[in-house]
Amino acid sequence: MKISKAHARRMWLRAQRLDEKTPFGKGVSATEAAVEHLGYVQIDTIHVIERCHHHILFTRIPAYTRKDLFAAQSKNKSVFEYWTHALSYIPTKDFPFFVNEMKRMQKTPSRWFQSVTKSDYSKVLRMIKKDGALSIRDIEDDVLVEKTHAWASKKPSKRALQLGFYSGKLTISERVGMLKKYELTERHFGWDRFPKAASEKQCTEYLLNRSLRAQGLVTLDSICHLYPSRKPAVKKVIDEKVKKGLLLPVEVAGLEKIFFWATPEALQEDLQPRDEMTHILSPFDPLVIQRKRLSALFDYDHRFEAYLPKEKRVFGYFALPVLIDDRIVAVMDLKADREEQELLIQKWTWLKKEKTASAKRKVEEELHRFEKFQFGI
C-alpha cells in the first residue's frame, strides 16, 4: 500500500494523540491513560523550563497537574519507573516485560555499578527493610568519596540504591522534584511475590504492539529505538503478522527506501484532525526523540544543543519544536524565570515560509497557556 508523507504524519499524530484537545480527559485517570497509551513517558533532570515528564503529559492533557502524576505513582501505584530507551514512567501492568532485564542486572551488573561493595548494598537494603522508604538524603553515615563522574555522588549509598533499583529489588515509591524515595518493590506494590518474567516472544510482541499503538506507522528502527539487537526477533514477528494479514507493508511517497508497516485498521482510519492544535513540544517528547523518523516524516532536523558551545548553537540551548496541526513551523528556546514567574523567549526561529500572521497568533496563544503551566497559575 502506498500513502503520502502527509498521510503518514497524520497517522503518527493520531497515534500520539496530538490532534485533539482532550484525548485522555483530566485528573489522575487521564495521566494513567496517557502513560498506558504512549507506553512510556521519559524522565529527564534538565530544569530550564518544567521537566520533560510533566511537559509531555501537559501537551496531551490540558488540565494536567503535577499532583496527578504523583498520585498515579505513589498512591494508585499504576505507574512505575524503569529504563526503556531512557529512564521513564511505565504502566505497572507492563512490569513483567522488564523482569528479565532486572534479573540480568542482578546477575551481571553493568560497569557503572562495579564500585558498589557488598556491604554498601546490604546496608541500604537493610535500612529500607527496617525503616521504610528512604532517599539518599536520609543516609547520613556514609564515608564520602571523590566523584568518578559528573552524575555520580560522593555518597557510595547512592550507587547502591541505583543498583537495587535496576535489579528490581527496589522501586521508586515517590518523587519530590527529582529527589527519589526508594522502597522494597514487593512492599510498595503490595505483592506477595515478585512478578513472573514475560517470555522473550512476549517481550517482542509487547515492543511491537506498544510501537503500533503510539506510532501508528512503524519501522524496525522506530520499534527498536536504541535497541538494534532486538531487530531480528521483531522482524520475525512482523513477517508472521504480515502473512496472517494483521500487518500490511506500507510505502511512503518519497521514502521508498524505508520499510514501514501498519495495521489495516490504522490505515483505514479517518485522519481528519479532530481539533485545530498548536503544541510547544519537549525535545524529549515521543514525537521528537526519534530524530531520524522526525526528519523523514516532518522534513525537520531537530538539534539538541544544550551540550554544545554557545557559538555552535543554531536554535538555542533548550530548543522546543512548535507544531501547528501537522507542520513543525518554528523552534523556540525558552527559559523559565521562576522568581519573576515569567517565561522568557531566548530565541524564536521560524522554519522555511511558515511565518504568517495566523501562525504567529496561534503560537502566542499557546505561549500564554504554556507560561501558566510553568508556574501553576
Side-chain angles (χ1 to χ4, degrees), residues 126 163 372:
R126 188 170 58 249
L163 177 57
K372 289 179 180 179

Side-chain angles (χ1 to χ4, degrees), residues 198-228:
S199 68
E200 279 301 313
K201 179 71 179 292
Q202 288 171 329
C203 289
T204 302
E205 291 264 5
Y206 158 75
L207 200 61
L208 173 59
N209 291 335
R210 185 182 75 182
S211 301
L212 287 166
R213 184 178 65 244
Q215 297 173 14
L217 190 68
V218 301
T219 65
L220 275 180
D221 282 338
S222 75
I223 298 164
C224 305
H225 181 50
L226 300 186
Y227 285 97

Side-chain angles (χ1 to χ4, degrees), residues 107-216:
K107 187 176 180 181
T108 313
S110 67
R111 291 177 59 189
W112 177 256
F113 299 114
Q114 286 180 357
S115 64
V116 177
T117 65
K118 188 175 180 180
S119 62
D120 284 335
Y121 189 54
S122 298
K123 181 184 83 171
V124 299
L125 293 179
R126 188 170 58 249
M127 288 179 68
I128 293 171
K129 186 174 182 180
K130 178 176 179 288
D131 300 323
L134 58 76
S135 73
I136 187 61
R137 291 182 186 173
D138 297 319
I139 300 175
E140 299 177 344
D141 61 347
D142 269 0
V143 177
L144 303 185
V145 298
E146 289 298 318
K147 284 188 177 186
T148 57
H149 189 279
W151 297 344
S153 169
K154 291 185 177 182
K155 289 186 175 183
S157 291
K158 181 171 183 179
R159 205 165 289 196
L161 287 167
Q162 291 173 331
L163 177 57
F165 167 74
Y166 284 106
S167 299
K169 297 288 186 183
L170 303 175
T171 194
I172 296 168
S173 61
E174 179 182 328
R175 272 186 185 263
V176 180
M178 293 303 286
L179 181 66
K180 297 169 281 194
K181 279 201 169 184
Y182 295 85
E183 174 61 291
L184 299 176
T185 299
E186 289 97 322
R187 190 162 69 188
H188 171 71
F189 290 109
W191 293 335
D192 293 329
R193 62 179 63 184
F194 201 76
K196 182 182 177 182
S199 68
E200 279 301 313
K201 179 71 179 292
Q202 288 171 329
C203 289
T204 302
E205 291 264 5
Y206 158 75
L207 200 61
L208 173 59
N209 291 335
R210 185 182 75 182
S211 301
L212 287 166
R213 184 178 65 244
Q215 297 173 14

